[in-house]
Amino acid sequence: MPARAADLHPHRAPKALGVLATLACVACCALPVLITAGVLGAGAGAVVGWLPGLAVVLAVLASGTWWLGRRRRPLLLRAEDRR
């Protein structure tokens, strides 16, 4: 079994969080239009209030996990070189 530092497969967490942030952003823009058009009920208006915050939090988490993954990989590779 290869060492974790030798794992060349990209981590999926940043991509998944980025997709969720994108979906939250699209929903945030689409829900007011759908409510106004009468496709969705007014109850969906309660969701519109917290969707921008959710999209921002997910985008920050995606960026943070991507940055940590990029930062950690060279450190692990250097530790393997010292052995």
Side-chain angles (χ1 to χ4, degrees):
M1 186 164 178
R4 180 162 167 78
D7 184 18
L8 299 178
H9 297 291
H11 298 282
R12 290 181 175 83
K15 188 180 288 187
L17 288 171
V19 168
L20 288 175
T22 302
L23 289 175
C25 188
V26 168
C28 181
C29 295
L31 277 177
V33 174
L34 293 173
I35 292 170
T36 304
V39 176
L40 296 175
V47 176
V48 175
W50 54 266
L51 272 178
L54 177 65
V56 169
V57 167
L58 287 171
V60 168
L61 286 173
S63 301
T65 55
W66 174 81
W67 179 75
L68 284 173
R70 292 288 182 188
R71 182 173 171 242
R72 188 167 182 229
R73 187 166 303 169
L75 293 175
L76 290 174
L77 289 175
R78 280 187 285 204
E80 288 290 320
D81 290 341
R82 285 185 234 155
R83 289 184 185 180

Coordinates of all heavy atoms in Angstrom, one line a residue:
M1 N 0.8 -1.2 0.0 CA 0.0 0.0 0.0 C 0.9 1.2 0.0 O 1.8 1.4 0.8 CB -0.9 0.0 1.2 CG -1.9 1.0 1.3 SD -3.1 0.6 2.5 CE -4.1 2.0 2.4
P2 N 0.7 2.2 -0.9 CA 1.6 3.3 -1.0 C 1.3 4.3 0.2 O 0.3 4.3 0.8 CB 1.1 4.0 -2.3 CG -0.2 3.5 -2.6 CD -0.3 2.2 -2.0
A3 N 2.4 5.0 0.5 CA 2.3 6.0 1.6 C 1.3 7.1 1.2 O 1.0 7.4 0.0 CB 3.6 6.6 1.9
R4 N 0.7 7.8 2.2 CA -0.2 8.8 1.9 C 0.4 10.0 1.1 O -0.3 10.5 0.3 CB -0.8 9.4 3.2 CG -1.8 10.5 3.1 CD -2.6 10.7 4.3 NE -3.4 11.9 4.3 CZ -4.5 12.0 3.7 NH1 -5.0 11.1 2.9 NH2 -5.2 13.2 3.7
A5 N 1.7 10.2 1.3 CA 2.3 11.3 0.6 C 2.5 10.9 -0.9 O 2.5 11.8 -1.8 CB 3.7 11.6 1.2
A6 N 2.5 9.7 -1.2 CA 2.7 9.2 -2.6 C 1.3 9.1 -3.3 O 1.3 8.8 -4.5 CB 3.3 7.9 -2.6
D7 N 0.2 9.4 -2.6 CA -1.1 9.4 -3.2 C -1.2 10.5 -4.2 O -1.3 11.7 -3.8 CB -2.1 9.4 -2.2 CG -3.5 9.3 -2.7 OD1 -3.7 8.8 -3.9 OD2 -4.5 9.6 -2.0
L8 N -1.2 10.2 -5.5 CA -1.3 11.3 -6.5 C -2.7 11.6 -6.9 O -3.0 12.4 -7.8 CB -0.5 10.9 -7.7 CG 1.0 10.7 -7.4 CD1 1.7 10.2 -8.7 CD2 1.6 11.9 -6.9
H9 N -3.7 10.9 -6.4 CA -5.1 11.2 -6.7 C -5.5 12.5 -6.1 O -5.3 12.7 -4.9 CB -6.0 10.0 -6.2 CG -5.7 8.7 -6.9 ND1 -6.0 8.5 -8.2 CD2 -5.2 7.6 -6.4 CE1 -5.6 7.3 -8.5 NE2 -5.1 6.7 -7.4
P10 N -6.2 13.3 -6.8 CA -6.6 14.6 -6.2 C -7.7 14.4 -5.1 O -8.5 13.4 -5.2 CB -7.2 15.4 -7.4 CG -7.6 14.3 -8.4 CD -6.6 13.2 -8.2
H11 N -7.7 15.2 -4.2 CA -8.7 15.1 -3.1 C -10.0 15.6 -3.6 O -10.1 16.6 -4.3 CB -8.2 15.9 -1.9 CG -6.9 15.4 -1.3 ND1 -6.9 14.2 -0.5 CD2 -5.7 15.8 -1.4 CE1 -5.6 14.0 -0.2 NE2 -4.9 14.9 -0.7
R12 N -11.1 15.0 -3.2 CA -12.4 15.3 -3.7 C -13.1 16.3 -2.9 O -14.1 16.9 -3.3 CB -13.2 14.0 -3.9 CG -12.6 13.2 -5.0 CD -13.5 11.9 -5.2 NE -13.0 11.1 -6.3 CZ -12.0 10.3 -6.3 NH1 -11.3 10.1 -5.2 NH2 -11.7 9.6 -7.4
A13 N -12.7 16.5 -1.7 CA -13.5 17.4 -0.8 C -13.6 18.9 -1.4 O -14.7 19.4 -1.4 CB -12.9 17.4 0.6
P14 N -12.5 19.5 -1.8 CA -12.6 20.8 -2.4 C -13.6 20.9 -3.6 O -14.3 21.8 -3.7 CB -11.2 21.2 -2.8 CG -10.3 20.3 -2.0 CD -11.1 19.1 -1.8
K15 N -13.5 19.9 -4.4 CA -14.4 19.9 -5.6 C -15.8 19.8 -5.2 O -16.7 20.4 -5.7 CB -14.0 18.8 -6.5 CG -14.7 18.8 -7.9 CD -14.3 17.7 -8.8 CE -12.9 17.9 -9.3 NZ -12.4 17.0 -10.3
A16 N -16.1 18.9 -4.3 CA -17.5 18.6 -3.8 C -18.0 19.9 -3.1 O -19.2 20.3 -3.3 CB -17.5 17.5 -2.9
L17 N -17.2 20.5 -2.3 CA -17.6 21.7 -1.6 C -17.8 22.9 -2.6 O -18.8 23.7 -2.5 CB -16.6 22.2 -0.5 CG -16.6 21.3 0.7 CD1 -15.4 21.6 1.6 CD2 -17.9 21.4 1.5
G18 N -17.0 22.9 -3.6 CA -17.2 24.0 -4.7 C -18.4 23.8 -5.5 O -19.1 24.7 -5.8
V19 N -18.8 22.5 -5.7 CA -20.0 22.2 -6.5 C -21.2 22.6 -5.6 O -22.2 23.2 -6.1 CB -20.1 20.7 -6.9 CG1 -21.5 20.4 -7.3 CG2 -19.1 20.5 -8.0
L20 N -21.2 22.3 -4.3 CA -22.3 22.6 -3.4 C -22.4 24.2 -3.3 O -23.5 24.7 -3.2 CB -22.0 22.0 -2.0 CG -22.3 20.5 -2.0 CD1 -21.9 20.0 -0.6 CD2 -23.7 20.2 -2.3
A21 N -21.3 24.9 -3.2 CA -21.3 26.3 -3.2 C -21.9 26.9 -4.4 O -22.7 27.9 -4.4 CB -19.9 26.9 -3.0
T22 N -21.6 26.3 -5.6 CA -22.2 26.8 -6.9 C -23.7 26.5 -6.9 O -24.4 27.4 -7.3 CB -21.5 26.1 -8.0 OG1 -20.1 26.3 -8.0 CG2 -22.0 26.5 -9.4
L23 N -24.1 25.4 -6.4 CA -25.5 25.1 -6.4 C -26.3 26.0 -5.5 O -27.4 26.4 -5.8 CB -25.8 23.6 -6.0 CG -25.4 22.6 -7.1 CD1 -25.5 21.2 -6.5 CD2 -26.2 22.7 -8.3
A24 N -25.7 26.3 -4.3 CA -26.3 27.2 -3.4 C -26.4 28.6 -4.0 O -27.4 29.3 -3.8 CB -25.6 27.3 -2.1
C25 N -25.4 29.0 -4.8 CA -25.4 30.3 -5.4 C -26.5 30.4 -6.5 O -27.2 31.4 -6.6 CB -24.0 30.6 -6.0 SG -23.8 32.3 -6.6
V26 N -26.6 29.4 -7.3 CA -27.6 29.3 -8.3 C -29.0 29.3 -7.7 O -29.9 30.0 -8.2 CB -27.3 28.1 -9.3 CG1 -28.5 27.8 -10.2 CG2 -26.1 28.3 -10.1
A27 N -29.2 28.5 -6.7 CA -30.5 28.5 -6.0 C -30.8 29.8 -5.4 O -32.0 30.3 -5.5 CB -30.5 27.4 -5.0
C28 N -29.8 30.5 -4.9 CA -30.1 31.8 -4.3 C -30.6 32.8 -5.4 O -31.4 33.7 -5.1 CB -28.8 32.3 -3.7 SG -28.9 33.9 -2.9
C29 N -30.0 32.7 -6.6 CA -30.5 33.6 -7.7 C -31.8 33.2 -8.3 O -32.6 34.0 -8.7 CB -29.4 33.7 -8.7 SG -27.9 34.4 -8.2
A30 N -32.0 31.8 -8.3 CA -33.2 31.3 -9.0 C -34.5 31.3 -8.2 O -35.6 31.5 -8.7 CB -32.9 29.9 -9.5
L31 N -34.3 31.2 -6.9 CA -35.5 31.1 -6.0 C -36.4 32.3 -6.0 O -37.6 32.2 -6.2 CB -35.1 30.7 -4.6 CG -34.9 29.2 -4.3 CD1 -34.5 29.0 -2.9 CD2 -36.1 28.4 -4.6
P32 N -35.8 33.5 -5.9 CA -36.7 34.7 -6.0 C -37.5 34.8 -7.3 O -38.7 35.2 -7.4 CB -35.8 35.9 -5.9 CG -34.6 35.3 -5.2 CD -34.5 33.9 -5.6
V33 N -36.8 34.4 -8.4 CA -37.5 34.5 -9.7 C -38.6 33.4 -9.8 O -39.7 33.7 -10.2 CB -36.5 34.2 -10.9 CG1 -37.2 34.1 -12.2 CG2 -35.5 35.3 -10.9
L34 N -38.4 32.2 -9.3 CA -39.4 31.1 -9.2 C -40.5 31.5 -8.3 O -41.7 31.1 -8.6 CB -38.7 29.8 -8.9 CG -37.7 29.3 -9.9 CD1 -37.0 28.0 -9.3 CD2 -38.4 28.9 -11.2
I35 N -40.3 32.1 -7.2 CA -41.3 32.5 -6.3 C -42.2 33.6 -6.9 O -43.4 33.6 -6.9 CB -40.7 33.0 -4.9 CG1 -40.1 31.9 -4.2 CG2 -41.8 33.7 -4.1 CD1 -39.3 32.3 -3.0
T36 N -41.6 34.6 -7.6 CA -42.3 35.6 -8.3 C -43.1 35.1 -9.4 O -44.3 35.5 -9.6 CB -41.3 36.7 -8.8 OG1 -40.5 37.2 -7.7 CG2 -42.1 37.9 -9.4
A37 N -42.6 34.1 -10.1 CA -43.4 33.5 -11.2 C -44.5 32.6 -10.7 O -45.3 32.1 -11.5 CB -42.4 32.7 -12.1
G38 N -44.5 32.3 -9.5 CA -45.6 31.4 -8.9 C -45.3 29.9 -9.0 O -46.1 29.1 -8.7
V39 N -44.1 29.6 -9.4 CA -43.7 28.2 -9.5 C -43.5 27.6 -8.1 O -43.9 26.5 -7.9 CB -42.4 28.0 -10.4 CG1 -42.0 26.6 -10.4 CG2 -42.6 28.6 -11.8
L40 N -43.0 28.4 -7.2 CA -42.8 27.9 -5.8 C -43.6 28.8 -4.9 O -43.9 29.9 -5.2 CB -41.3 28.0 -5.4 CG -40.3 27.2 -6.2 CD1 -38.9 27.5 -5.7 CD2 -40.6 25.7 -5.9
G41 N -44.0 28.2 -3.8 CA -44.8 28.9 -2.8 C -43.9 29.9 -2.0 O -42.7 30.0 -2.1
A42 N -44.6 30.7 -1.3 CA -43.9 31.8 -0.5 C -43.1 31.2 0.6 O -42.2 31.8 1.2 CB -45.0 32.7 0.1
G43 N -43.4 29.9 1.0 CA -42.6 29.3 2.0 C -41.1 29.1 1.6 O -40.2 29.0 2.5
A44 N -40.9 29.1 0.3 CA -39.5 29.0 -0.1 C -38.7 30.3 0.1 O -37.5 30.3 0.1 CB -39.5 28.6 -1.6
G45 N -39.5 31.3 0.4 CA -38.8 32.6 0.6 C -38.0 32.6 1.9 O -37.0 33.4 2.1
A46 N -38.4 31.7 2.8 CA -37.6 31.6 4.1 C -36.2 31.1 3.8 O -35.2 31.4 4.5 CB -38.3 30.7 5.1
V47 N -36.1 30.3 2.8 CA -34.8 29.7 2.4 C -33.9 30.7 1.8 O -32.6 30.7 1.9 CB -35.0 28.5 1.5 CG1 -33.7 27.9 1.0 CG2 -35.8 27.4 2.2
V48 N -34.5 31.7 1.0 CA -33.7 32.6 0.3 C -32.8 33.5 1.2 O -31.7 33.9 0.9 CB -34.6 33.5 -0.5 CG1 -33.9 34.6 -1.2 CG2 -35.3 32.7 -1.6
G49 N -33.3 33.7 2.4 CA -32.6 34.6 3.4 C -31.2 34.0 3.8 O -30.2 34.7 3.9
W50 N -31.1 32.7 3.9 CA -29.8 32.1 4.4 C -29.0 31.5 3.3 O -27.9 31.0 3.6 CB -30.0 31.2 5.6 CG -31.0 30.1 5.4 CD1 -32.3 30.1 5.7 CD2 -30.7 28.8 4.8 NE1 -32.9 28.9 5.3 CE2 -31.9 28.1 4.8 CE3 -29.6 28.2 4.3 CZ2 -32.1 26.8 4.3 CZ3 -29.7 26.9 3.8 CH2 -30.9 26.2 3.8
L51 N -29.5 31.4 2.1 CA -28.7 30.8 1.0 C -27.4 31.6 0.7 O -26.4 30.9 0.4 CB -29.5 30.6 -0.2 CG -30.3 29.3 -0.3 CD1 -31.2 29.2 -1.5 CD2 -29.4 28.1 -0.3
P52 N -27.4 32.9 0.6 CA -26.1 33.6 0.4 C -25.1 33.3 1.4 O -23.9 33.1 1.1 CB -26.5 35.1 0.4 CG -28.0 35.1 0.1 CD -28.5 33.9 0.7
G53 N -25.4 33.2 2.7 CA -24.5 32.9 3.7 C -24.0 31.5 3.6 O -22.8 31.2 3.7
L54 N -24.9 30.6 3.2 CA -24.5 29.2 3.0 C -23.5 29.1 1.8 O -22.5 28.3 1.9 CB -25.7 28.3 2.8 CG -25.4 26.8 2.4 CD1 -24.8 26.1 3.7 CD2 -26.7 26.1 2.0
A55 N -23.8 29.8 0.7 CA -22.9 29.8 -0.4 C -21.5 30.3 -0.1 O -20.5 29.7 -0.5 CB -23.5 30.5 -1.6
V56 N -21.5 31.4 0.7 CA -20.2 31.9 1.1 C -19.4 31.0 2.0 O -18.2 30.7 1.8 CB -20.4 33.3 1.8 CG1 -19.1 33.8 2.5 CG2 -20.9 34.3 0.8
V57 N -20.1 30.4 3.0 CA -19.4 29.4 3.9 C -18.9 28.2 3.1 O -17.7 27.8 3.3 CB -20.4 29.0 5.0 CG1 -19.9 27.7 5.7 CG2 -20.7 30.1 5.9
L58 N -19.7 27.7 2.2 CA -19.2 26.5 1.4 C -18.0 26.9 0.5 O -17.1 26.1 0.3 CB -20.3 26.0 0.5 CG -21.4 25.2 1.3 CD1 -22.6 24.9 0.4 CD2 -20.8 23.9 1.9
A59 N -18.0 28.1 -0.1 CA -16.9 28.6 -0.9 C -15.6 28.7 -0.1 O -14.5 28.4 -0.5 CB -17.3 29.9 -1.6
V60 N -15.8 29.3 1.1 CA -14.6 29.4 2.0 C -14.1 28.1 2.4 O -12.9 27.8 2.4 CB -15.0 30.3 3.2 CG1 -13.9 30.2 4.3 CG2 -15.2 31.7 2.8
L61 N -15.0 27.1 2.7 CA -14.5 25.8 3.1 C -13.8 25.1 1.9 O -12.8 24.4 2.1 CB -15.7 24.9 3.5 CG -16.3 25.2 4.9 CD1 -17.5 24.4 5.2 CD2 -15.2 24.9 6.0
A62 N -14.4 25.3 0.7 CA -13.7 24.7 -0.5 C -12.3 25.3 -0.7 O -11.4 24.5 -1.0 CB -14.6 24.9 -1.7
S63 N -12.2 26.6 -0.6 CA -10.9 27.2 -0.7 C -10.0 26.8 0.4 O -8.8 26.5 0.1 CB -11.1 28.8 -0.7 OG -11.9 29.2 -1.7
G64 N -10.4 26.7 1.6 CA -9.6 26.3 2.7 C -9.1 24.8 2.5 O -7.9 24.6 2.8
T65 N -10.0 23.9 2.2 CA -9.5 22.6 2.0 C -8.6 22.4 0.8 O -7.7 21.6 0.9 CB -10.7 21.6 1.8 OG1 -11.5 22.0 0.8 CG2 -11.5 21.5 3.1
W66 N -8.8 23.2 -0.2 CA -7.9 23.1 -1.4 C -6.5 23.6 -1.0 O -5.5 23.0 -1.3 CB -8.5 24.0 -2.5 CG -7.5 24.1 -3.7 CD1 -7.3 23.2 -4.7 CD2 -6.6 25.2 -3.9 NE1 -6.3 23.6 -5.5 CE2 -5.9 24.8 -5.1 CE3 -6.3 26.4 -3.3 CZ2 -4.9 25.7 -5.6 CZ3 -5.4 27.2 -3.8 CH2 -4.7 26.9 -4.9
W67 N -6.5 24.8 -0.2 CA -5.2 25.4 0.2 C -4.5 24.4 1.1 O -3.3 24.2 1.0 CB -5.5 26.7 0.8 CG -4.3 27.4 1.3 CD1 -3.3 28.0 0.6 CD2 -3.8 27.5 2.7 NE1 -2.3 28.5 1.4 CE2 -2.6 28.2 2.7 CE3 -4.4 27.0 3.9 CZ2 -1.9 28.5 3.8 CZ3 -3.7 27.3 5.0 CH2 -2.5 28.0 5.0
L68 N -5.2 23.9 2.1 CA -4.5 22.9 3.0 C -4.0 21.7 2.3 O -2.9 21.2 2.6 CB -5.5 22.5 4.1 CG -5.8 23.6 5.2 CD1 -6.8 23.1 6.2 CD2 -4.5 23.9 6.0
G69 N -4.8 21.2 1.4 CA -4.3 20.0 0.6 C -3.1 20.3 -0.2 O -2.1 19.5 -0.3
R70 N -3.0 21.5 -0.8 CA -1.8 21.9 -1.6 C -0.6 22.2 -0.7 O 0.5 21.9 -1.0 CB -2.1 23.2 -2.4 CG -3.1 23.0 -3.5 CD -2.5 22.2 -4.6 NE -3.4 22.1 -5.7 CZ -3.2 21.3 -6.7 NH1 -2.1 20.6 -6.8 NH2 -4.1 21.2 -7.6
R71 N -0.9 22.7 0.5 CA 0.2 23.1 1.4 C 0.8 21.9 2.1 O 2.0 21.8 2.3 CB -0.4 24.0 2.4 CG 0.6 24.5 3.4 CD 0.0 25.6 4.3 NE 1.0 25.9 5.4 CZ 0.7 25.7 6.6 NH1 -0.4 25.2 7.0 NH2 1.6 26.0 7.5
R72 N -0.1 20.9 2.4 CA 0.3 19.7 3.1 C 1.1 18.7 2.3 O 2.0 18.1 2.8 CB -0.9 19.1 3.7 CG -0.6 18.0 4.7 CD -1.8 17.6 5.4 NE -1.4 16.5 6.4 CZ -2.1 15.4 6.5 NH1 -3.1 15.2 5.8 NH2 -1.6 14.5 7.4
R73 N 0.7 18.6 1.0 CA 1.4 17.6 0.2 C 2.9 17.8 0.1 O 3.6 16.9 0.2 CB 0.7 17.6 -1.2 CG 1.2 16.5 -2.1 CD 0.4 16.3 -3.3 NE -1.0 16.0 -2.8 CZ -2.0 16.0 -3.6 NH1 -1.9 16.2 -4.9 NH2 -3.2 15.8 -3.1
P74 N 3.4 19.0 -0.2 CA 4.9 19.2 -0.3 C 5.5 18.9 1.1 O 6.7 18.3 1.1 CB 5.1 20.6 -0.7 CG 3.8 21.0 -1.4 CD 2.7 20.2 -0.7
L75 N 4.9 19.2 2.2 CA 5.5 18.9 3.5 C 5.6 17.4 3.7 O 6.6 16.9 4.2 CB 4.6 19.5 4.6 CG 4.6 21.1 4.6 CD1 3.6 21.5 5.7 CD2 5.9 21.6 4.9
L76 N 4.6 16.7 3.3 CA 4.7 15.2 3.4 C 5.7 14.6 2.5 O 6.4 13.7 2.9 CB 3.3 14.6 3.1 CG 2.2 14.9 4.2 CD1 0.9 14.3 3.7 CD2 2.6 14.3 5.5
L77 N 5.8 15.2 1.3 CA 6.8 14.6 0.4 C 8.3 14.9 0.9 O 9.1 14.1 0.8 CB 6.7 15.3 -1.0 CG 5.4 14.8 -1.8 CD1 5.3 15.5 -3.1 CD2 5.5 13.3 -2.0
R78 N 8.5 16.1 1.5 CA 9.8 16.4 2.1 C 10.1 15.5 3.2 O 11.2 15.1 3.4 CB 9.8 17.9 2.5 CG 10.1 18.8 1.3 CD 10.3 20.2 1.9 NE 9.0 20.6 2.3 CZ 8.7 21.9 2.3 NH1 9.5 22.8 2.1 NH2 7.5 22.3 2.7
A79 N 9.1 15.1 4.0 CA 9.3 14.2 5.2 C 9.7 12.8 4.7 O 10.5 12.2 5.3 CB 8.0 14.1 6.0
E80 N 9.1 12.4 3.6 CA 9.5 11.1 3.0 C 11.0 11.1 2.5 O 11.6 10.1 2.5 CB 8.6 10.8 1.8 CG 7.2 10.4 2.3 CD 7.1 9.1 3.0 OE1 7.8 8.1 2.6 OE2 6.4 9.0 4.0
D81 N 11.4 12.3 2.0 CA 12.8 12.4 1.5 C 13.8 12.2 2.6 O 14.9 11.8 2.4 CB 13.0 13.7 0.7 CG 12.2 13.7 -0.6 OD1 11.9 12.6 -1.1 OD2 12.0 14.8 -1.1
R82 N 13.5 12.6 3.8 CA 14.4 12.6 4.9 C 14.7 11.2 5.4 O 15.6 10.9 6.1 CB 13.9 13.5 6.1 CG 14.0 14.9 5.8 CD 13.6 15.7 7.0 NE 12.6 16.7 6.5 CZ 11.7 17.2 7.2 NH1 11.6 17.0 8.5 NH2 10.9 18.1 6.7
R83 N 13.8 10.3 5.1 CA 13.9 8.9 5.6 C 15.0 8.2 4.9 O 15.4 8.2 3.9 CB 12.6 8.2 5.5 CG 11.6 8.7 6.4 CD 10.3 7.9 6.3 NE 9.4 8.5 7.2 CZ 8.2 8.0 7.4 NH1 7.8 6.9 6.7 NH2 7.3 8.5 8.1

